Amino acid sequence: MKILSVAIPSYNSQNYLRKCVESLLPAGDDIEIIIVNDGSKDHTGEIAEEYASRYPGIVKAVHQENGGHGEAVNTGLKNATGLYYKVVDSDDWVDERTLPKIIETLKKLVAGPDTVDAVISNFVYDKVGAKHKKVMQYRKYMPTETVFEWKDLKKMRAGKYILMHSMIYRTNLLRECGLELPKHTFYVDNLFVFQPLPSVKKMYYIDELFYHYYIGREDQSVNEQVMIERIDQQLKVNKLMIDTMAGQRGVNKNCRRYMLSYLDIIMTVSSMLLLKSGTEENLKKKQELWAYLKAADAGL
C-alpha cells in the first residue's frame, strides 16, 4: 500500500505540469501521483499519459469532463490507495529536500501507536518577481514533531489559518467524514481544509518548508479582480462553511475556536470583495450573506 497519494488537479496545465510531477517523483514507490486531467483543451492529458507510461505503479492518469478544481479533488480521492492524501495544484510544486522527511514521518506515524488524522507542514508564497518570499509556518501555535491534540493548539492571531498547501489528511478520514467538494467552483481549497476538522482528533506538525505556492499569474483565481468576477463562487464556498459550523455541538472547544476564526477570515474576504466591487447588486449580496449567517446560527 502507498504511504501517500497526491492528487494534481490539472486544467490546461501543459506549461507547468511537468515541474509539479517531477518534484514528487523522488519519493519513488512510497508515493502515488494521481494526475486528474479536468477536461483540458491543451496537451495536459498527453503529458499525464506520458508520465503514467514512464512510471507505472507510481503515476496514474485520470481523465474526466471538466468539473472544476473541487471535482478533480473528489476524483483524486476516489482513486487514492495511499494511507494519506494531499492535493498539489498543477502550477505549484513540492520541495524535494523536504519530501523524504515527509514520507519518513508518515511511515513512522503509521507504525506508531497513534492514528494521526492530519499532518501539517510549512509553505512559501513563491510570488513572481518577489525578492523576499513569505513563508507560512505555525511553530508558535503547535508542538513540533510530536503527536498532539486540539487541547495543545494555541490560539492563532487574527488572520492566521492553515491553508490546503500545508495539509495532509488521512485518506479514510476524508471518506468517513463524507467530504465532497462542489463542481465548477473555485476556492474549494478552504472547504477541503475546513469541513473535515471536527473529525480530526490527532495531528502532527513538521516545521519544514514543503509546498511552493506559485502566485502571480494574471488569470490566477486569487487575483483580486478575478475574485470579484467570480464572487458568486466565493459566496457559495462561504455559505457551505457556514453550514458546516451552524448548530454544531460536541466539538472540542479549541477546534471550534479555530474554525470560528477561519470562518471570520472568509466572511471578511467575501465582504471586502463585495464592497470593493462597488455595485449595488454586490452590496445587496453582502447583506444577504450576513443574513444567511444569522439565519443559520445567530450565535455565530
Short mmCIF file of all heavy atoms in Angstrom, two decimals, residues 235 238-239 242 260 263-275 282-300:
data_model
loop_
_atom_site.label_atom_id
_atom_site.label_comp_id
_atom_site.label_asym_id
_atom_site.label_seq_id
_atom_site.Cartn_x
_atom_site.Cartn_y
_atom_site.Cartn_z
N LEU A 235 -18.88 33.14 -2.58
CA LEU A 235 -20.04 33.14 -1.67
C LEU A 235 -20.59 31.73 -1.45
O LEU A 235 -21.02 31.39 -0.35
CB LEU A 235 -21.14 34.07 -2.21
CG LEU A 235 -20.79 35.56 -2.25
CD1 LEU A 235 -21.89 36.36 -2.93
CD2 LEU A 235 -20.51 36.10 -0.85
N ASN A 238 -18.30 30.15 1.00
CA ASN A 238 -18.54 30.82 2.28
C ASN A 238 -19.78 30.24 2.96
O ASN A 238 -19.77 29.90 4.15
CB ASN A 238 -18.69 32.32 2.05
CG ASN A 238 -18.50 33.16 3.30
OD1 ASN A 238 -18.07 34.30 3.24
ND2 ASN A 238 -18.83 32.61 4.45
N LYS A 239 -20.86 30.09 2.20
CA LYS A 239 -22.11 29.57 2.77
C LYS A 239 -21.98 28.10 3.18
O LYS A 239 -22.56 27.68 4.19
CB LYS A 239 -23.26 29.77 1.78
CG LYS A 239 -23.68 31.24 1.66
CD LYS A 239 -24.77 31.45 0.62
CE LYS A 239 -25.17 32.92 0.54
NZ LYS A 239 -26.18 33.18 -0.51
N ILE A 242 -20.38 28.11 6.46
CA ILE A 242 -21.38 28.45 7.48
C ILE A 242 -22.21 27.21 7.83
O ILE A 242 -22.43 26.90 9.00
CB ILE A 242 -22.30 29.59 6.99
CG1 ILE A 242 -21.51 30.91 6.91
CG2 ILE A 242 -23.52 29.75 7.91
CD1 ILE A 242 -22.26 32.04 6.22
N LEU A 260 -14.04 28.97 14.04
CA LEU A 260 -14.72 30.28 14.09
C LEU A 260 -13.80 31.37 13.55
O LEU A 260 -14.23 32.25 12.78
CB LEU A 260 -15.13 30.58 15.52
CG LEU A 260 -16.06 31.78 15.74
CD1 LEU A 260 -17.38 31.61 15.00
CD2 LEU A 260 -16.32 32.00 17.22
N LEU A 263 -13.67 30.95 9.76
CA LEU A 263 -14.88 31.48 9.15
C LEU A 263 -14.89 33.01 9.16
O LEU A 263 -15.31 33.65 8.20
CB LEU A 263 -16.12 30.93 9.87
CG LEU A 263 -17.48 31.35 9.32
CD1 LEU A 263 -17.66 30.92 7.86
CD2 LEU A 263 -18.62 30.79 10.18
N ASP A 264 -14.38 33.58 10.24
CA ASP A 264 -14.26 35.03 10.38
C ASP A 264 -13.45 35.62 9.21
O ASP A 264 -13.83 36.62 8.59
CB ASP A 264 -13.56 35.32 11.72
CG ASP A 264 -13.47 36.80 12.04
OD1 ASP A 264 -14.16 37.61 11.39
OD2 ASP A 264 -12.71 37.15 12.96
N ILE A 265 -12.33 34.95 8.89
CA ILE A 265 -11.46 35.41 7.80
C ILE A 265 -12.21 35.35 6.46
O ILE A 265 -12.17 36.30 5.67
CB ILE A 265 -10.18 34.54 7.74
CG1 ILE A 265 -9.30 34.81 8.97
CG2 ILE A 265 -9.39 34.81 6.46
CD1 ILE A 265 -8.31 33.71 9.26
N ILE A 266 -12.87 34.24 6.21
CA ILE A 266 -13.55 34.06 4.93
C ILE A 266 -14.72 35.04 4.79
O ILE A 266 -14.96 35.60 3.72
CB ILE A 266 -14.02 32.60 4.75
CG1 ILE A 266 -12.82 31.65 4.82
CG2 ILE A 266 -14.77 32.42 3.43
CD1 ILE A 266 -11.71 31.94 3.82
N MET A 267 -15.46 35.28 5.89
CA MET A 267 -16.53 36.28 5.87
C MET A 267 -15.96 37.67 5.55
O MET A 267 -16.57 38.46 4.82
CB MET A 267 -17.25 36.32 7.23
CG MET A 267 -18.12 35.12 7.53
SD MET A 267 -19.60 34.97 6.50
CE MET A 267 -20.55 36.39 7.03
N THR A 268 -14.79 37.97 6.11
CA THR A 268 -14.14 39.26 5.87
C THR A 268 -13.73 39.39 4.40
O THR A 268 -13.98 40.43 3.77
CB THR A 268 -12.91 39.43 6.78
OG1 THR A 268 -13.33 39.30 8.14
CG2 THR A 268 -12.25 40.77 6.58
N VAL A 269 -13.11 38.35 3.87
CA VAL A 269 -12.69 38.37 2.47
C VAL A 269 -13.90 38.58 1.55
O VAL A 269 -13.89 39.45 0.66
CB VAL A 269 -11.96 37.06 2.09
CG1 VAL A 269 -11.76 36.96 0.59
CG2 VAL A 269 -10.62 36.97 2.81
N SER A 270 -14.96 37.81 1.78
CA SER A 270 -16.17 37.95 0.95
C SER A 270 -16.74 39.36 1.04
O SER A 270 -17.08 39.99 0.03
CB SER A 270 -17.24 36.94 1.40
OG SER A 270 -16.80 35.62 1.23
N SER A 271 -16.84 39.87 2.27
CA SER A 271 -17.44 41.20 2.49
C SER A 271 -16.62 42.30 1.83
O SER A 271 -17.17 43.21 1.19
CB SER A 271 -17.57 41.47 3.99
OG SER A 271 -18.42 40.52 4.60
N MET A 272 -15.30 42.22 1.97
CA MET A 272 -14.44 43.25 1.40
C MET A 272 -14.46 43.24 -0.13
O MET A 272 -14.47 44.29 -0.77
CB MET A 272 -13.00 43.09 1.90
CG MET A 272 -12.82 43.39 3.38
SD MET A 272 -13.45 45.01 3.89
CE MET A 272 -12.37 46.09 2.96
N LEU A 273 -14.49 42.05 -0.72
CA LEU A 273 -14.57 41.96 -2.18
C LEU A 273 -15.89 42.54 -2.69
O LEU A 273 -15.92 43.26 -3.68
CB LEU A 273 -14.43 40.50 -2.63
CG LEU A 273 -13.04 39.89 -2.51
CD1 LEU A 273 -13.10 38.38 -2.72
CD2 LEU A 273 -12.06 40.52 -3.49
N LEU A 274 -16.98 42.26 -1.98
CA LEU A 274 -18.29 42.78 -2.37
C LEU A 274 -18.32 44.31 -2.25
O LEU A 274 -18.87 45.00 -3.10
CB LEU A 274 -19.39 42.14 -1.51
CG LEU A 274 -19.67 40.66 -1.81
CD1 LEU A 274 -20.46 40.02 -0.67
CD2 LEU A 274 -20.40 40.48 -3.13
N LEU A 275 -17.69 44.82 -1.18
CA LEU A 275 -17.62 46.28 -1.01
C LEU A 275 -16.76 46.94 -2.09
O LEU A 275 -17.12 47.96 -2.65
CB LEU A 275 -17.06 46.61 0.37
CG LEU A 275 -18.02 46.45 1.56
CD1 LEU A 275 -17.24 46.54 2.86
CD2 LEU A 275 -19.11 47.52 1.52
N ASN A 282 -23.86 43.91 -5.63
CA ASN A 282 -22.95 43.23 -4.70
C ASN A 282 -23.09 43.72 -3.26
O ASN A 282 -22.86 42.97 -2.32
CB ASN A 282 -21.50 43.37 -5.18
CG ASN A 282 -21.18 42.38 -6.29
OD1 ASN A 282 -21.96 41.46 -6.55
ND2 ASN A 282 -20.05 42.56 -6.95
N LEU A 283 -23.49 44.98 -3.09
CA LEU A 283 -23.79 45.46 -1.73
C LEU A 283 -24.99 44.70 -1.15
O LEU A 283 -25.03 44.37 0.03
CB LEU A 283 -24.06 46.96 -1.74
CG LEU A 283 -22.84 47.86 -2.03
CD1 LEU A 283 -23.27 49.31 -2.15
CD2 LEU A 283 -21.78 47.71 -0.94
N LYS A 284 -25.93 44.40 -2.03
CA LYS A 284 -27.10 43.61 -1.62
C LYS A 284 -26.68 42.18 -1.25
O LYS A 284 -27.17 41.59 -0.29
CB LYS A 284 -28.14 43.60 -2.75
CG LYS A 284 -29.54 43.20 -2.30
CD LYS A 284 -30.55 43.37 -3.42
CE LYS A 284 -30.87 44.83 -3.67
NZ LYS A 284 -31.93 44.99 -4.70
N LYS A 285 -25.73 41.65 -2.05
CA LYS A 285 -25.24 40.28 -1.77
C LYS A 285 -24.51 40.22 -0.43
O LYS A 285 -24.56 39.20 0.27
CB LYS A 285 -24.29 39.82 -2.89
CG LYS A 285 -25.02 39.42 -4.17
CD LYS A 285 -24.06 38.99 -5.26
CE LYS A 285 -24.82 38.63 -6.53
NZ LYS A 285 -23.90 38.26 -7.64
N LYS A 286 -23.83 41.30 -0.07
CA LYS A 286 -23.16 41.36 1.23
C LYS A 286 -24.19 41.28 2.37
O LYS A 286 -24.02 40.53 3.34
CB LYS A 286 -22.34 42.63 1.35
CG LYS A 286 -21.65 42.80 2.70
CD LYS A 286 -20.81 44.07 2.71
CE LYS A 286 -20.36 44.40 4.12
NZ LYS A 286 -21.47 44.86 4.98
N GLN A 287 -25.27 42.04 2.23
CA GLN A 287 -26.33 41.99 3.24
C GLN A 287 -26.95 40.59 3.32
O GLN A 287 -27.23 40.07 4.40
CB GLN A 287 -27.41 43.03 2.91
CG GLN A 287 -26.94 44.47 3.06
CD GLN A 287 -27.99 45.47 2.58
OE1 GLN A 287 -28.80 45.17 1.70
NE2 GLN A 287 -27.96 46.67 3.13
N GLU A 288 -27.13 39.99 2.15
CA GLU A 288 -27.72 38.64 2.10
C GLU A 288 -26.81 37.61 2.77
O GLU A 288 -27.29 36.70 3.44
CB GLU A 288 -27.97 38.24 0.64
CG GLU A 288 -29.13 38.98 -0.02
CD GLU A 288 -29.18 38.76 -1.52
OE1 GLU A 288 -28.29 38.07 -2.07
OE2 GLU A 288 -30.11 39.31 -2.16
N LEU A 289 -25.49 37.77 2.58
CA LEU A 289 -24.54 36.83 3.19
C LEU A 289 -24.64 36.88 4.71
O LEU A 289 -24.70 35.84 5.37
CB LEU A 289 -23.11 37.17 2.74
CG LEU A 289 -22.00 36.35 3.39
CD1 LEU A 289 -22.11 34.88 3.02
CD2 LEU A 289 -20.62 36.91 3.01
N TRP A 290 -24.66 38.09 5.27
CA TRP A 290 -24.73 38.21 6.73
C TRP A 290 -26.10 37.76 7.26
O TRP A 290 -26.19 37.20 8.36
CB TRP A 290 -24.40 39.64 7.15
CG TRP A 290 -22.92 39.87 7.05
CD1 TRP A 290 -22.23 40.31 5.96
CD2 TRP A 290 -21.95 39.59 8.05
NE1 TRP A 290 -20.88 40.34 6.23
CE2 TRP A 290 -20.67 39.90 7.50
CE3 TRP A 290 -22.02 39.11 9.36
CZ2 TRP A 290 -19.49 39.75 8.22
CZ3 TRP A 290 -20.83 38.96 10.08
CH2 TRP A 290 -19.59 39.28 9.51
N ALA A 291 -27.13 37.97 6.46
CA ALA A 291 -28.46 37.48 6.86
C ALA A 291 -28.47 35.95 6.85
O ALA A 291 -29.10 35.31 7.72
CB ALA A 291 -29.53 38.02 5.91
N TYR A 292 -27.76 35.35 5.89
CA TYR A 292 -27.67 33.88 5.80
C TYR A 292 -26.97 33.32 7.04
O TYR A 292 -27.42 32.33 7.62
CB TYR A 292 -26.89 33.50 4.53
CG TYR A 292 -26.82 32.02 4.26
CD1 TYR A 292 -27.77 31.40 3.44
CD2 TYR A 292 -25.83 31.22 4.81
CE1 TYR A 292 -27.72 30.04 3.18
CE2 TYR A 292 -25.76 29.86 4.56
CZ TYR A 292 -26.72 29.27 3.74
OH TYR A 292 -26.68 27.92 3.50
N LEU A 293 -25.90 33.99 7.46
CA LEU A 293 -25.17 33.58 8.66
C LEU A 293 -26.07 33.64 9.90
O LEU A 293 -26.13 32.69 10.69
CB LEU A 293 -23.95 34.47 8.85
CG LEU A 293 -23.14 34.24 10.15
CD1 LEU A 293 -22.44 32.90 10.13
CD2 LEU A 293 -22.11 35.36 10.34
N LYS A 294 -26.80 34.74 10.02
CA LYS A 294 -27.66 34.93 11.20
C LYS A 294 -28.78 33.90 11.23
O LYS A 294 -29.12 33.34 12.28
CB LYS A 294 -28.23 36.35 11.22
CG LYS A 294 -28.94 36.70 12.51
CD LYS A 294 -29.32 38.16 12.54
CE LYS A 294 -29.99 38.50 13.88
NZ LYS A 294 -30.40 39.92 13.94
N ALA A 295 -29.35 33.62 10.07
CA ALA A 295 -30.44 32.65 9.99
C ALA A 295 -29.95 31.23 10.27
O ALA A 295 -30.66 30.42 10.89
CB ALA A 295 -31.09 32.70 8.59
N ALA A 296 -28.72 30.94 9.84
CA ALA A 296 -28.15 29.60 10.04
C ALA A 296 -27.83 29.36 11.50
O ALA A 296 -28.08 28.27 12.05
CB ALA A 296 -26.91 29.41 9.18
N ASP A 297 -27.25 30.36 12.15
CA ASP A 297 -26.85 30.23 13.55
C ASP A 297 -26.56 31.62 14.10
O ASP A 297 -25.51 32.20 13.86
CB ASP A 297 -25.60 29.35 13.65
CG ASP A 297 -25.23 29.00 15.09
OD1 ASP A 297 -25.49 29.83 15.99
OD2 ASP A 297 -24.69 27.91 15.32
N ALA A 298 -27.52 32.17 14.84
CA ALA A 298 -27.41 33.54 15.35
C ALA A 298 -26.19 33.69 16.27
O ALA A 298 -25.59 34.76 16.34
CB ALA A 298 -28.69 33.94 16.08
N GLY A 299 -25.81 32.61 16.94
CA GLY A 299 -24.64 32.64 17.83
C GLY A 299 -23.34 32.90 17.06
O GLY A 299 -22.45 33.57 17.56
N LEU A 300 -23.27 32.37 15.85
CA LEU A 300 -22.09 32.62 15.02
C LEU A 300 -21.98 34.08 14.65
O LEU A 300 -20.90 34.62 14.55
CB LEU A 300 -22.14 31.75 13.74
CG LEU A 300 -21.91 30.26 13.88
CD1 LEU A 300 -22.03 29.59 12.51
CD2 LEU A 300 -20.54 29.97 14.48
#
